């Protein structure tokens, strides 16, 4: 039987599985077949798991005995920095090329309990550092909409897998935009939840005060289903929060949307700006109010992120010492082993950030850079808290340009970092943000997806879901 993967959502697949239109295995196999067709040119996956049939069998039993959950039998792609017991988790680094996870990340455990199917692990920028997936030690992923372009990053493999119908939903991680930016480039929905909403236990850490796991899906409805399964307090992650940690005022039908136009004055592609205006018109027609707002310190966000993130990276990546995990390279003595392992195991971008981070944390510069950046982080957060007394949501484009060409920014780290201009703030403030497909830019004969980003106050994913569904016309 042939399944219409293009128009399938997790919600619809659940109904179909309940109605026995196809079996869990037939669904999983439909994806595996499509991956075989598309992935040789897209390279979204690093590995397709060999136990899919077994997973499907167990999930099918739950349909047969009436204990199926909404995510039972739903085929997932998992970013390669999320631990699945017994499987390799390489974070797309030579350092962990042969590292097998010894336990399940909490998000994986929750999905296993729900009966989800893991199709495979997806390509990413090494240790989640990058915005194009070009920093993977195992080759670049291509954007399914235009194979000469990047899918975004760092969760580019997960976004591309979804966009090529190589999975029904996917997981990524977002430290400065790594779910939202590739979602925007690939034309799918991507959520960065409130910091602490989803457990980080079992994610390979990048910047611990910024990292969050986040779901990818084709609809906001599916994102909401995933979020409610994944969210919650976890004994294994002391930074997790519960759904009532932040006070919630009742949701209004007509929302006030704040637009910080001053952030879009320079460096934003004209087609992105036109699409953004069209999106505002659409939202107004739906009965929402749009007002201009000012975020006085947002201009510092990118600089603050690129001080704090490398500081946290340098300390998180110190554990890869050739002894505890993964790669070991022999030198003449143990200190040489350490240097040799790190020189061979880490790619260029990882080394660049370790150096930068070590520098900003060094005793002579700690106050000047690290402490200063932390102080500005607080000020930026206050700007947002203040603005949220007047508006329900802050709206910007997700990225300043559509997907760029492979190789275009690979040798110019600063221009690559600039692509994160709209996304890093939500990680600095810890607030939830979602990227929603908003149309296409034309480049010659190809159409490149664009996205808008909605940011809400802490704990208010519900506002993002309501407005997002409204925008996409989902009931
Ligand atoms: N592109 C950003 C960076 O390179 C974001 C990475 C991420 O969110 N993991 O740091």
């Amino acid at each position: 039987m042939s399944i219409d993967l293009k128009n399938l959502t997790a919600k619809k697949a659940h109904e179909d599985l309940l109605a026995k239109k196809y079996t869990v295995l037939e669904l999983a196999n439909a994806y595996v077949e499509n991956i075989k067709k598309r992935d040789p040119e897209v390279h979204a996956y690093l590995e397709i798991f060999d136990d899919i049939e077994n997973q499907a069998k167990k999930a099918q039993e739950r349909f047969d005995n009436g204990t199926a959950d909404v995510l039972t039998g739903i085929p997932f792609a998992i970013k390669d920095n999320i631990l699945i017991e017994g499987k390799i988790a390489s974070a797309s680094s030579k350092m962990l090329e042969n590292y097998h996870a010894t336990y399940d990340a909490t998000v994986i455990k929750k999905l296993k309990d729900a009966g989800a199917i893991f199709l495979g692990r997806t390509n990413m920028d090494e240790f989640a550092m990058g915005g194009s997936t070009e920093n993977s030690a195992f080759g670049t992923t291509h954007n399914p909409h235009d194979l000469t372009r990047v899918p975004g990053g760092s969760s580019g493999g997960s976004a591309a897998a979804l966009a090529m119908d190589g999975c029904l939903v996917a997981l990524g991680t977002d430290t400065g935009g790594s779910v939202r930016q590739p979602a925007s480039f690939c034309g799918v929905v991507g959520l960065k939840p409130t910091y602490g909403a989803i457990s980080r236990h079992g994610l390979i850490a990048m910047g611990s005060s910024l990292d969050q796991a986040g779901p990818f899906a084709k609809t906001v409805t599916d994102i909401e289903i995933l979020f409610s399964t994944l969210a919650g307090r976890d004994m294994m992650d002391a930074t997790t929060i519960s759904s009532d940690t932040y006070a919630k005022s009742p949701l209004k039908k007509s929302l006030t949307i704040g637009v910080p136009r001053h952030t879009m004055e320079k460096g934003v592609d004209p087609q992105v700006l036109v699409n953004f205006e069209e999106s505002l018109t659409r939202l107004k027609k739906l009965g929402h109010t749009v007002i201009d707002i000012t975020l006085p310190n947002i201009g510092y966000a990118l600089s603050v992120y690129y001080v704090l993130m490398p500081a946290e990276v340098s300390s998180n990546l110190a554990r890869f010492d050739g002894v505890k995990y993964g790669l070991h390279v022999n030198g003449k003595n143990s200190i040489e082993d350490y240097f040799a392992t790190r020189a061979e195991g880490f790619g260029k971008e990882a080394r660049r950030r370790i150096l930068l981070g070590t520098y900003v944390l060094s005793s002579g510069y700690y106050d000047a850079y690290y402490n200063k950046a932390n102080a500005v982080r607080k000020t930026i957060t206050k700007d947002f808290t203040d603005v949220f007394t007047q508006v329900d949501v802050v709206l910007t484009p997700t990225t300043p340009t559509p997907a760029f060409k492979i190789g275009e920014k690979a040798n110019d780290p600063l221009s690559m970092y600039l692509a994160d201009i709209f996304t890093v703030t939500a990680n600095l403030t810890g607030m939830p943000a979602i990227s929603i497909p908003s149309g296409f830019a034309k480049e010659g004969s190809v159409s490149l997806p664009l996205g808008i980003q909605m940011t809400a106050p802490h704990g208010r994913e519900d506002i993002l879901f309501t407005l997002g569904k409204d925008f996409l016309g989902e009931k």
Side-chain angles (χ1 to χ4, degrees):
M1 81 155 303
S2 95
I3 304 173
D4 176 15
L5 300 185
K6 187 98 230 114
N7 295 307
L8 196 61
T9 62
K11 185 167 176 260
K12 174 88 175 42
H14 178 65
E15 290 160 9
D16 290 352
L17 289 167
L18 277 178
K20 299 194 188 321
K21 284 199 181 150
Y22 39 78
T23 64
V24 173
L25 186 61
E26 281 167 343
L27 179 63
N29 280 342
Y31 281 103
V32 173
E33 283 311 309
N34 203 38
I35 293 167
K36 280 192 196 141
K37 247 189 266 156
R38 291 300 311 274
D39 210 40
E41 50 185 22
V42 173
H43 188 44
Y45 281 96
L46 294 173
E47 181 187 351
I48 299 300
F49 296 141
D50 58 10
D51 59 353
I52 294 174
E53 215 176 303
N54 205 15
Q55 296 183 52
K57 204 172 140 233
K58 283 198 206 137
Q60 190 62 51
E61 279 164 16
R62 293 182 55 169
F63 279 99
D64 298 342
N65 68 20
T67 59
D69 203 331
V70 269
L71 291 178
T72 308
I74 300 300
F76 274 74
I78 305 290
K79 189 179 183 180
D80 196 30
N81 60 349
I82 303 177
L83 306 193
I84 307 178
E85 189 180 347
K87 309 268 191 233
I88 289 179
S90 79
S92 284
S93 178
K94 268 166 66 184
M95 191 61 100
L96 293 175
E97 190 169 1
N98 299 309
Y99 169 72
H100 286 77
T102 53
Y103 62 95
D104 283 330
T106 298
V107 286
I108 295 298
K109 193 177 169 308
K110 289 192 173 201
L111 292 179
K112 281 188 177 172
D113 290 347
I117 308 292
F118 304 124
L119 296 174
R121 54 192 179 91
T122 54
N123 199 19
M124 54 183 281
D125 287 298
E126 183 177 13
F127 286 106
M129 295 188 267
S132 68
T133 316
E134 291 166 293
N135 294 337
S136 166
F138 309 118
T140 300
T141 297
H142 299 251
N143 190 316
H145 292 267
D146 175 356
L147 296 171
T148 66
R149 290 176 190 266
V150 304
S154 63
S155 316
S158 287
L162 179 58
M164 71 174 192
D165 292 319
C167 63
L168 187 44
V169 285
L171 283 192
T173 60
D174 190 312
T175 304
S178 279
V179 167
R180 291 159 287 154
Q181 186 250 26
S184 173
F185 282 7
C186 291
V188 298
V189 186
L191 171 74
K192 196 289 286 180
T194 304
Y195 183 75
I198 295 182
S199 170
R200 287 179 294 113
H201 174 65
L203 311 191
I204 298 176
M206 177 179 162
S208 305
S209 79
L210 305 154
D211 295 345
Q212 267 293 283
F216 289 97
K218 284 188 255 178
T219 61
V220 178
T221 308
D222 279 3
I223 290 280
E224 194 174 9
I225 294 172
L226 290 168
F227 178 73
S228 59
T229 304
L230 298 171
R233 293 251 322 148
D234 179 15
M235 288 292 287
M236 304 304 284
D237 175 358
T239 62
T240 48
I241 56 171
S242 59
S243 58
D244 55 7
T245 300
Y246 294 103
K248 281 197 182 84
S249 52
L251 205 61
K252 292 169 280 181
K253 226 182 134 21
S254 159
L255 298 170
T256 308
I257 300 164
V259 178
R261 288 190 185 278
H262 63 101
T263 63
M264 293 166 224
E265 276 158 11
K266 291 193 299 250
V268 183
D269 183 289
Q271 295 200 65
V272 171
L273 288 175
V274 170
N275 175 267
F276 185 71
E277 290 307 325
E278 288 166 2
S279 305
L280 290 179
T281 309
R282 194 149 134 196
L283 287 163
K284 282 191 232 166
K285 274 200 193 129
L286 290 164
H288 304 291
T289 309
V290 175
I291 64 168
D292 280 350
I293 53 162
T294 308
L295 295 161
N297 298 290
I298 203 169
Y300 301 114
L302 203 59
S303 317
V304 167
Y305 173 77
Y306 276 96
V307 170
L308 296 178
M309 174 273 297
E312 296 189 16
V313 161
S314 73
S315 94
N316 272 324
L317 266 49
R319 75 192 66 173
F320 301 108
D321 56 3
V323 179
K324 296 191 203 75
Y325 305 91
L327 187 75
H328 174 87
V329 179
N330 274 326
K332 282 198 223 67
N333 50 44
S334 46
I335 191 76
E336 275 194 10
D337 289 3
Y338 177 81
F339 291 143
T341 302
R342 288 171 69 85
E344 195 168 317
F346 289 133
K348 224 176 171 178
E349 186 62 24
R351 273 181 278 166
R352 184 180 292 124
R353 295 196 192 194
I354 292 169
L355 284 173
L356 258 173
T358 310
Y359 179 81
V360 301
L361 288 178
S362 58
S363 63
Y365 297 101
Y366 191 92
D367 279 335
Y369 294 110
Y370 184 76
N371 275 345
K372 189 55 124 287
N374 252 329
V376 183
R377 179 182 193 173
K378 288 207 183 82
T379 328
I380 294 170
T381 309
K382 187 169 178 304
D383 286 353
F384 272 84
T385 334
D386 289 349
V387 127
F388 280 130
T389 59
Q390 310 163 40
V391 303
D392 302 296
V393 164
V394 172
L395 199 81
T396 63
T398 307
T399 57
T401 66
F404 43 88
K405 291 266 188 192
I406 291 173
E408 190 180 321
K409 299 183 197 281
N411 295 316
D412 182 359
L414 278 184
S415 80
M416 185 79 86
Y417 300 167
L418 278 172
D420 305 333
I421 187 103
F422 295 122
T423 49
V424 295
T425 35
N427 303 79
L428 292 173
T429 64
M431 289 165 184
I434 196 166
S435 178
I436 311 251
S438 58
F440 293 89
K442 278 266 174 231
E443 290 293 338
S445 62
V446 286
S447 298
L448 300 173
L450 298 171
I452 50 167
Q453 171 179 250
M454 304 169 178
T455 306
H458 291 119
R460 295 311 305 262
E461 278 81 359
D462 59 327
I463 299 181
L464 301 179
F465 299 151
T466 304
L467 192 60
K469 283 192 275 192
D470 210 11
F471 184 77
L472 290 182
E474 294 173 31
K475 277 187 231 62

